[in-house]
């Protein structure tokens, strides 16, 4: 099983700042089969990025992803008030399709 | 518009069974793999099970293997999760999730709102 470790656990930033979230895998994720999801309180998760760096439909270009192998990054270039939420990475290259424990992005 | 509507959750005693359902609309259901993902109260996401478009490929998390059975009825645009020998640790919000592809697995591109399963005596 591939274990995904996200850091930091909580990130406190202000609107307009840049956010960098990390996801590290216990073994290489095949074909960059890594996705990022955003979840707001009381809502279902929403797909942000897939294939490590491709934005899902309707996702603003301030969200970007990078990485390969075992190290992946989600970057939000300029935080908007609606971006404060919990973010999860997930690998879908091999079953079980594991999620990281999440990073909570909170307003400073 | 893609819609995934779950039902069947509720309060159940440990050791009992429950069947979850998900009705899909807004896309060609039998072109896509589907999954169940759960989230315990205040916790993170846990993938539970996935099924390919034709039911030819099925996977389970170790935590549910041998107790849960995923199935689908493409004629009814429906996904199911039969849960048996339920444990307290199965308490969670269960999401029905669409895969981006017909085979297992790619990104999880659409999620339902979830149905809550509470296992308690």
């Amino acid at each position: 099983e591939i274990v995904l470790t996200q850091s930091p656990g909580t990130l406190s930033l202000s609107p307009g700042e840049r956010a960098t979230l990390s996801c590290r895998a216990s073994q290489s994720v095949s074909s960059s089969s890594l996705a990022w999801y955003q979840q707001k309180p009381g809502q279902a998760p929403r797909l942000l990025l897939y294939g490590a760096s491709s934005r899902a439909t309707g996702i603003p270009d301030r969200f970007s992803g990078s990485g390969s192998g075992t190290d992946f990054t989600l970057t939000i270039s300029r935080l908007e008030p609606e971006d404060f939420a919990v973010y999860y990475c997930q690998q879908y290259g091999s079953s079980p399709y594991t999620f990281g424990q999440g990073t909570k992005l909170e307003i400073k | 518009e893609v819609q995934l509507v779950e039902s069947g959750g509720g309060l159940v005693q440990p050791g009992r069974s429950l069947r979850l359902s998900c009705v899909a609309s807004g896309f060609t259901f039998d072109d896509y793999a589907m999954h169940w993902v759960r989230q315990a109260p205040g916790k993170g996401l846990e993938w539970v099970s996935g099924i390919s478009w034709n039911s030819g490929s099925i996977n389970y998390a170790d935590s549910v293997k041998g107790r849960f059975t995923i199935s689908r009825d493409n004629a009814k645009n429906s996904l199911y999760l039969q849960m048996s020998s339920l444990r307290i640790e199965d308490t969670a919000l269960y999401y029905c999730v669409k895969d981006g592809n017909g085979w297992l697995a790619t990104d999880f591109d659409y999620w339902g709102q979830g149905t809550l399963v509470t296992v308690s005596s």
Side-chain angles (χ1 to χ4, degrees):
Chain A
E1 171 177 327
I2 297 177
V3 176
L4 299 180
T5 302
Q6 292 186 240
S7 61
T10 302
L11 185 58
S12 300
L13 293 170
S14 301
E17 290 192 295
R18 179 185 185 93
T20 302
L21 286 66
S22 174
C23 176
R24 178 162 289 179
S26 60
Q27 55 189 282
S28 184
V29 174
S30 64
S31 304
S32 293
S33 298
L34 188 111
W36 289 93
Y37 302 86
Q38 176 193 67
Q39 187 177 34
K40 297 180 180 179
Q43 297 185 17
R46 176 175 70 146
L47 175 66
L48 295 177
L49 301 169
Y50 61 94
S53 60
S54 297
R55 277 187 297 276
T57 303
I59 302 303
D61 61 6
R62 64 180 181 273
F63 291 89
S64 64
S66 63
S68 64
T70 60
D71 288 297
F72 298 87
T73 300
L74 168 67
T75 301
I76 310 172
S77 58
R78 294 173 311 278
L79 285 166
E80 298 286 343
E82 62 267 27
D83 298 337
F84 292 90
V86 178
Y87 292 84
Y88 295 94
C89 60
Q90 181 218 13
Q91 68 81 23
Y92 49 85
S94 63
S95 179
Y97 310 116
T98 46
F99 290 88
Q101 83 280 16
T103 289
K104 182 179 181 181
L105 179 55
E106 65 177 24
I107 299 177
K108 187 174 182 180
Chain B
E1 178 193 6
V2 172
Q3 286 197 315
L4 300 167
V5 180
E6 304 94 336
S7 61
L11 175 62
V12 61
Q13 292 179 325
R16 303 298 291 266
S17 299
L18 204 61
R19 188 194 197 205
L20 305 184
S21 299
C22 169
V23 177
S25 60
F27 65 101
T28 305
F29 183 72
D30 53 11
D31 278 350
Y32 295 94
M34 298 292 295
H35 302 266
W36 290 99
V37 175
R38 68 185 180 183
Q39 187 168 35
K43 303 297 184 181
L45 302 171
E46 180 188 15
W47 173 80
V48 172
S49 182
I51 185 169
S52 64
W53 68 277
N54 64 352
S55 304
S57 180
I58 289 175
N59 291 331
Y60 297 98
D62 285 346
S63 58
V64 307
K65 199 172 294 182
R67 300 188 299 122
F68 289 11
T69 302
I70 191 172
S71 63
R72 65 190 294 163
D73 185 337
N74 287 344
K76 295 183 178 180
N77 285 358
S78 293
L79 176 72
Y80 305 101
L81 186 67
Q82 178 68 47
M83 304 185 294
S84 61
S85 302
L86 281 161
R87 304 168 180 168
I88 291 175
E89 55 265 33
D90 294 320
T91 294
L93 186 63
Y94 285 73
Y95 292 105
C96 170
V97 184
K98 174 186 170 293
D99 196 289
N101 194 289
W103 297 102
L104 298 175
T106 62
D107 52 278
F108 294 6
D109 58 1
Y110 289 94
W111 298 60
Q113 288 304 304
T115 187
L116 181 63
V117 173
T118 302
V119 184
S120 174
S121 54

